């Protein structure tokens, strides 16, 4: 065991502690001084990791890694109780308390991640040991919770079990998992609140369960509220269940919550969660740039939600947001060298404020090596390593290209294998070449998203298909022959954007984007006191390249003005005098590449003004 | 007793509970179920009240009020222990713990307020019962703390005892009180920290005692930090001690801390405390308008500090700040009808945010009837009722007019009584008429402050004196004859101001002031979404009057522009398009009069732009 741990330790660094729980088998329990290590949800670190490993093995087979993973699975499965229960927090501390604090403890959350990881590992390797463990745990949970009179009417405090159960259902065909997921969704927010019964009627004060999206039944919710990651996971589960059960009212609720999220509460970077208090959504249009929470995991959750909406309705608005979240907040969550991480992704940073102002304690001016609550790094790993499943989706007769990433896509249709080869430089250029590379012809539809940021686009080679535009997709239907080639060009120009006027923080400001990529100014390029700079919104945006962290990145060069300061010694306030500004070229880099050159100021939304 | 309490209840509303402590005499203690009511500093409510009563009795003799006050004093004095100790929290809960938690409990704070109230009541009525009680308490404290080896080296967690001891010394001539105040100042921040010894070496984490201004010895402090009220009270005590002991290093420290406060950390309204976390100063130039703390008491403390600096050096910069704090933050602390109060005085308010954003929970969009920790209302009462002592100060041969308030000032000089009658409309007009109304002539200096906001001023009637300008004062020396009249005109024009460029929140913004009075826009006059408005900084500012809360106030009318909104349905972000604005006349009211017409938006610093 020790060797296993050591090996895992190398692969996994700090999270090795996760295995202390799994290794503390019941028979060893009396010997344990310090019984359980870490957060109540510590087990989930393993599950997120195994899920990322699974995706990675698909793309990059690696015997050594697989061996480590199998060893880890052995440890985890050995900890499972006879009845299928598998959360070491309660296995170690006493099963009598199990499922007694659904609101704050994370048993069902740990189960959810376990199921997600198990399915992924099974699908990647064909090995079902962990899958069976997850099913046994699911069966146990199913024996505890459900609509039957004798069963508990509880539901998770931190959602994920809902979508995990759907995934388990889709992998195994066991309908009861879908039913259990649906049960959790249906029970959520019903009165009297289950959690109040759990605490023997002692009610929680304040906003009743908004933090947990359990303030009212999900079909009556129309505003994205509370802890942003929880919200995204719930909405994803709701979309899954709506899709598989054809539940129209649930779908309507998903749409309302989608609209609330992206029309009223999303940063231009695809970040969600305007406040650090509860890592939560703030009220509509309250999107402070410097106080933002915009957790990496929340944007990952938004991508989960978007893909599930796409699976129900191929509408490009969902893919637009997916792309926006991916190339900005999600990638910003990790350093260019992949070795440090952001939990919080603000749109404006003054390092001094992060150090000196407790209100900005959650904002780090540089990425961190690891976190006590390390949700973001493994979440990033599992998203990035499974990105093909977001880039493309399929229906029976259609293949949807959402993100235009380079790769080879296959689709089984009418007993044949359609193969498309995609060449592209997304997100840096809008040129995409799609070549049909199947062995024989197939009749099917290829639907290519027309990005929301794209004003003009053209396609060559689609003449031979029956073409139409449907909800933001260019749909080509016909017989695809080996060698068929499409040359798509989604003209990608850098442009300035404004926020809705109700976003007070951004009044009088603009941000620069090229395609889906948000740009920002960094002190490293533009000096300190970025707030003194104004951009000329009518200026040509020039493009060039610059090295950041050893890699070349596109940069934007924009004519701007920097206020010339003339402080009055000893006077914090002075009579108005017309601003003196000097011309300056402002250099903007892709937002996600910021903070790779040490601690420095950063700003996405900048003051604008047309020169006199 | 019960009747007394009832009577007090009428005069004092909720704070009647304060008397529960005083009435719980030691012999009754066993019978008390709920032994001590309120905060550890609950006793101080009485002291602040009695101080305000004292000032009020000077200006408005009132037998009935004096009778109530005498009754209250009887109750309080009856609670004093034989040894002089008088803090009911420990009298009730056990004297064994007395002075064991100087950092967080407020015995020395309660003593300080008691001494302040006692001196004021003695000076107002000649009655010395409370003064004697305060002296006995001071003597007891002096027996516990001091430089002698056997005595404790502690000092107050919440300052005020320092300046209170000086005041007690000045009222009684007992030098040991001054020495004790000096001792507390000298011990503060010495290493090893006394408070660490108090907790048996268990050290506090984080910023070591910055909150209490005890992070380093006071003579080594150069930045205003921590809890703003505590800071102002400490600096006031330091200034007192520096004045009376001629301690140059202490004076230097006062000057550095003054500069830090007003040059780097003060709102244009004279508010101090940029963060609600610890009700404290933030870092230099961090002055957020909507998240401001700017506690009413902190600005009152700033006025205490300013007057003490003036007593050492008649430099108009101190009086300028005094005036700025008084007419803006301090008066804003109370509704126009005197019946409700602000603790926090922000410079920008969106009521929705106060209700929905926990980060702004400390900001109230309307004044409150009372507070659990009710420091501000009685502090306001004692400041406003003693305002003459801030408006004027004197030295042996000079009378200083700082605030140009109407009134009659007398000064004893060479065995005669000089009497000046001042007529003025300050702060609304800069015209001031000073008439010498003494019975016979006196030879002396009259020094009249030339306000910092004043560009042009003139005086008629000063030809007969020897005149000079000294540190912002117009000094007239000579023989003052009955009937001598001065007509001063400090031209008071409404004007726009800007903040130092390092105040990020205010970049691109202006505020309007006339004289010392800061103006603001309210939704009641200008509609919702004040952030859409820009002021033309070159526009003429027109003046008129408007009724607010039944009183007429000067208002400013300014040409401005309001952005015409054209939201893209379903798009939180859109490509840049040139702003469409429509002309609008913006109406500004005095800042302190805001929130007297119900809950509505308010804004001091507004966006500015010169029209094309």
């Amino acid at each position: 065991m020790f060797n296993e741990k050591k090996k895992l330790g190398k692969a996994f660094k700090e999270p090795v502690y996760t295995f202390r729980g799994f290794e503390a088998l019941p028979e060893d329990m009396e010997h344990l001084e310090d019984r359980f290590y870490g957060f109540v949800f510590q087990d989930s670190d393993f599950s997120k990791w195994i899920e990322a490993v699974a995706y990675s093995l698909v793309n990059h087979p690696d015997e050594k890694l697989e061996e480590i993973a199998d060893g880890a699975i052995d440890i985890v499965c050995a900890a499972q109780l006879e009845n299928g229960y598998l959360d070491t927090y309660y296995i170690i501390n006493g099963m009598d308390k199990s499922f007694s604090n659904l609101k704050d403890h994370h048993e069902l959350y740990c189960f959810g991640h376990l199921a997600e990881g198990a399915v992924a590992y099974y699908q990647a390797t064909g090995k079902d040991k962990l899958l069976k463990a997850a099913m046994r745990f699911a069966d146990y949970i199913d024996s505890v919770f459900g609509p039957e009179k004798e069963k508990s009417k509880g539901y998770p405090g931190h959602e994920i079990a809902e979508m995990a159960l759907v995934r388990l259902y889709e992998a195994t065909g066991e309908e009861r998992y879908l039913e259990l997921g649906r049960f959790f969704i249906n029970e959520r927010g019903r009165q009297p609140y289950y959690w109040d019964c759990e605490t023997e009627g002692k009610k929680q004060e304040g906003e009743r369960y908004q933090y947990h999206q359990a303030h009212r039944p999900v079909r009556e919710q129309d505003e994205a509220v509370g802890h942003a990651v929880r919200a995204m996971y719930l909405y994803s589960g709701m979309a899954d269940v709506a899709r598989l059960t054809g539940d129209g009212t649930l779908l309507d609720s998903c749409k309302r919550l989608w609209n609330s999220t992206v029309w009223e509460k999303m940063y231009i970077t695809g970040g969600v969660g305007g406040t650090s208090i509860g890592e939560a959504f703030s009220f509509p249009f309250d999107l402070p740039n410097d106080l933002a929470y915009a957790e990496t995991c929340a944007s990952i959750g938004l991508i989960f939600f978007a893909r599930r909406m796409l699976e129900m309705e191929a509408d490009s608005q969902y893919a637009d947001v997916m792309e926006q979240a991916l190339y900005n907040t999600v990638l910003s969550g990790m350093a260019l060298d992949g070795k440090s991480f952001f939990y919080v992704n603000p749109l404006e940073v003054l390092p001094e404020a992060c150090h000196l102002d407790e209100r900005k304690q959650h904002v780090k001016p540089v990425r961190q090596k690891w976190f006590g609550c390390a949700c973001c790094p493994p979440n990033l790993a599992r998203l990035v390593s499974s990105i093909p499943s977001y880039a493309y989706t399929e229906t029976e007769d259609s293949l949807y290209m959402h993100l235009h990433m380079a790769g080879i896509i296959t689709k089984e249709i009418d007993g044949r294998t359609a193969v498309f080869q995609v060449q592209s430089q997304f997100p840096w250029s809008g040129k995409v070449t799609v070549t049909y590379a199947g062995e024989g012809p197939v009749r099917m539809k290829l639907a290519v998203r027309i990005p929301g940021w794209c004003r003009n686009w053209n396609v060559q080679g689609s003449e031979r298909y029956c073409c139409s535009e449907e909800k933001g997709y260019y749909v080509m239907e016909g017989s695809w022959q080996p060698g068929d080639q499409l040359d798509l060009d989604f003209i990608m120009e850098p442009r300035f954007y404004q926020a809705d006027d109700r976003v007070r923080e951004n009044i009088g400001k603009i941000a620069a984007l090229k395609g889906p990529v948000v740009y920002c100014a960094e002190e490293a390029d533009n000096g300190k006191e970025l707030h003194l700079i104004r951009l000329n919104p009518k200026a040509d945006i020039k493009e060039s390249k610059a090295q950041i962290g050893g890699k070349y990145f596109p940069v934007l060069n924009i004519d701007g003005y920097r206020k010339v300061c003339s402080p009055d010694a000893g006077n914090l306030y002075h009579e108005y005098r017309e601003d003196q500004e000097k011309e300056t070229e402002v250099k903007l880099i892709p937002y996600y590449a910021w903070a790779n050159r040490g601690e420095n100021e950063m700003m996405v939304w900048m003051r604008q003004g047309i020169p006199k």
Side-chain angles (χ1 to χ4, degrees), chain A:
Chain A
M1 285 281 185
F2 181 71
N3 283 346
E4 286 294 340
K5 199 158 120 178
K6 234 177 146 182
K7 265 193 275 173
L8 283 164
K10 274 189 193 161
F12 217 1
K13 299 262 164 66
E14 280 83 345
V16 67
Y17 292 115
T18 295
F19 281 84
R20 262 171 75 162
F22 291 114
E23 290 179 316
L25 300 180
E27 54 265 34
D28 303 330
M29 277 176 51
E30 320 183 85
H31 308 295
L32 281 172
E33 276 302 308
D34 178 9
R35 296 158 76 90
F36 180 84
Y37 177 87
F39 288 100
V40 289
F41 47 82
Q42 203 64 39
D43 284 8
S44 67
D45 274 5
F46 157 75
S47 305
K48 292 171 203 162
W49 173 76
I50 203 78
E51 189 179 341
V53 167
Y55 302 136
S56 174
L57 292 175
V58 173
N59 302 317
H60 309 286
D62 179 335
E63 268 181 42
K64 188 125 189 85
L65 180 61
E66 192 167 332
E67 197 186 308
I68 293 174
D70 288 339
I73 287 170
D74 289 341
I75 298 174
V76 169
C77 291
Q80 189 163 33
L81 298 188
E82 275 303 306
N83 62 10
Y85 185 88
L86 181 43
D87 182 340
T88 69
Y89 179 80
Y90 284 103
I91 292 175
I92 294 172
N93 289 313
M95 281 296 292
D96 54 315
K97 288 271 190 294
S98 165
F99 296 133
S100 68
N101 184 354
L102 292 178
K103 179 163 73 68
D104 302 316
H105 285 187
H106 287 60
E107 289 160 287
L108 294 171
Y109 172 84
C110 287
F111 157 73
H113 270 299
L114 182 74
E116 295 251 4
V119 171
Y121 199 73
Y122 167 69
Q123 289 170 338
T125 64
K127 294 174 184 169
D128 65 0
K129 182 169 183 173
L130 193 62
L131 181 69
K132 284 189 169 156
M135 289 172 73
R136 285 176 60 213
F137 194 8
D139 293 340
Y140 176 75
I141 293 168
D142 189 40
S143 76
V144 175
F145 298 93
E148 296 83 357
K149 209 169 171 189
E150 71 282 6
K151 291 188 182 175
S152 167
K153 302 292 170 284
Y155 43 87
H158 192 316
E159 303 93 328
I160 190 177
E162 300 82 352
M163 60 173 158
L165 282 162
V166 169
R167 193 161 175 191
L168 202 57
Y169 155 70
E170 293 195 291
T172 65
E174 292 288 356
E175 290 233 4
R176 63 181 182 284
Y177 300 146
L178 172 60
E179 279 311 306
L180 184 58
R182 185 162 77 152
F183 169 79
F184 284 146
I185 283 168
N186 289 347
E187 287 304 312
R188 192 167 207 87
R190 280 203 180 160
Q191 301 235 18
Y193 293 117
Y194 175 80
W195 296 333
D196 288 343
C197 311
E198 208 169 38
T199 53
E200 288 156 3
K202 217 177 73 189
K203 292 187 180 181
Q204 188 174 298
E205 282 188 41
E207 289 294 342
R208 308 245 331 115
Y209 303 132
Q210 278 217 20
Y211 172 82
H212 302 85
Q213 302 77 44
H215 52 304
R216 59 175 72 146
V218 297
R219 287 173 187 76
E220 294 168 27
Q221 295 189 25
D222 46 21
E223 184 180 347
V225 294
H227 187 260
V229 176
R230 281 174 164 82
M232 292 300 116
Y233 285 13
L234 169 65
Y235 307 160
S236 298
M238 285 163 60
D240 275 336
V241 170
R243 171 172 58 86
L244 291 167
T245 62
D247 185 331
T249 56
L250 197 54
L251 173 59
D252 289 345
S253 182
C254 288
K255 285 187 176 176
R256 288 195 308 271
L257 291 165
W258 174 269
N259 292 346
S260 166
T261 303
V262 308
W263 294 1
E264 299 182 338
K265 299 193 175 193
M266 186 181 73
Y267 289 96
I268 196 165
T269 53
V272 285
T275 174
S276 64
I277 299 176
E279 306 180 329
F281 286 104
S282 189
F283 62 92
F285 306 105
D286 186 40
L287 293 162
N289 295 310
D290 55 348
L291 288 166
Y293 204 75
E295 185 179 337
T296 308
C297 285
S299 287
I300 291 171
L302 179 58
I303 291 176
F304 295 164
F305 184 23
R307 194 194 65 191
R308 283 160 176 82
M309 294 305 285
L310 275 177
E311 282 172 337
M312 281 189 281
E313 182 184 22
D315 183 326
S316 65
Q317 65 163 318
Y318 302 117
D320 283 342
V321 168
M322 196 156 80
E323 190 181 55
Q324 197 173 359
L326 175 66
Y327 288 120
N328 300 295
T329 300
V330 173
L331 289 189
S332 157
M334 187 161 63
L336 295 174
D337 65 4
K339 290 182 181 164
S340 57
F341 305 90
F342 274 141
Y343 210 102
V344 167
N345 297 278
L347 282 80
E348 185 175 323
V349 169
L350 172 69
E352 197 183 355
C354 303
H355 299 305
L356 298 174
D357 184 354
E358 278 188 64
R359 289 168 293 198
K360 290 177 186 152
Q361 218 169 24
H362 62 290
V363 179
K364 303 295 173 205
V366 287
R367 292 174 184 82
Q368 311 291 298
K369 291 282 177 206
W370 200 254
F371 306 95
C373 170
C375 49
C376 299
N379 231 346
L380 249 164
R382 67 190 189 117
L383 181 87
V384 172
S385 56
S386 65
I387 201 67
S389 68
Y390 300 88
Y392 313 102
T393 61
E394 58 179 316
T395 60
E396 207 178 335
D397 65 348
S398 306
L399 178 69
Y400 285 89
M401 280 181 51
H402 303 299
L403 298 183
H404 309 333
M405 287 174 169
I408 295 167
I409 326 158
T410 59
K411 174 176 170 53
E412 302 304 317
I413 189 161
D414 298 333
R416 289 193 182 162
T417 302
V419 181
F420 292 92
Q421 201 160 18
V422 182
Q423 288 174 295
S424 111
Q425 297 283 313
F426 259 65
W428 308 122
S429 143
K431 287 191 200 300
V432 182
T433 302
V434 181
T435 312
Y436 182 78
E439 288 191 1
V442 294
R443 172 160 286 277
M444 62 173 284
K445 290 184 201 169
L446 179 69
V448 179
R449 168 176 151 259
I450 306 158
W453 45 259
C454 183
R455 268 194 226 147
N456 299 302
W457 60 283
N458 56 65
V459 56
Q460 286 178 3
S462 68
E463 307 78 14
R464 60 184 82 96
Y465 315 108
C466 174
C467 300
S468 61
E469 273 189 51
E470 287 172 31
K471 292 186 181 173
Y473 287 81
Y474 183 61
V475 184
M476 294 159 279
E477 180 170 13
S479 175
W480 295 81
Q481 312 282 339
D484 279 4
Q485 184 176 316
L486 294 169
D487 289 296
L488 296 139
D489 191 1
F490 301 104
I491 313 290
M492 196 186 272
E493 296 157 334
R495 258 180 250 135
F496 293 120
Y497 282 74
Q498 287 174 303
D500 184 292
D501 292 318
R502 286 166 289 190
V503 182
R504 288 171 176 250
E505 291 266 344
N506 294 344
I507 196 76
K509 294 180 181 175
I510 54 176
L513 284 81
K514 186 184 170 190
V517 177
V518 175
Y519 283 72
C520 70
E522 254 197 326
E523 180 186 331
D525 301 309
N526 303 287
K528 280 189 179 295
E529 306 215 280
L530 297 174
H531 68 288
L532 297 179
I533 296 173
R534 288 195 311 155
L535 299 178
N536 175 2
K538 301 209 160 174
D540 285 336
I541 304 178
K542 295 176 283 288
E543 299 181 64
S544 62
K545 284 196 182 294
Q547 225 183 19
I548 302 168
K551 296 186 178 77
Y552 276 94
F553 282 87
V555 297
L556 307 181
N557 301 285
I558 301 165
D559 288 340
Y561 310 86
R562 179 182 267 274
K563 187 169 179 196
V564 180
C565 294
S566 48
D568 285 10
N571 268 331
L572 189 45
Y573 304 101
H574 60 79
E575 279 184 41
Y576 168 79
R577 49 187 179 238
E578 203 168 328
D579 288 354
Q580 298 302 313
E581 295 183 317
K582 65 171 188 218
E583 291 187 10
T584 185
E585 194 180 69
V586 184
K587 183 169 158 185
L588 305 182
I589 65 163
Y591 169 73
Y592 80 76
W594 90 275
N596 279 285
R597 292 175 291 179
E599 215 177 274
N600 74 158
E601 288 184 32
M602 183 275 291
M603 190 177 269
V604 169
W605 289 101
M606 303 189 77
R607 293 191 306 130
Q608 56 102 345
I610 300 165
K612 276 151 266 173

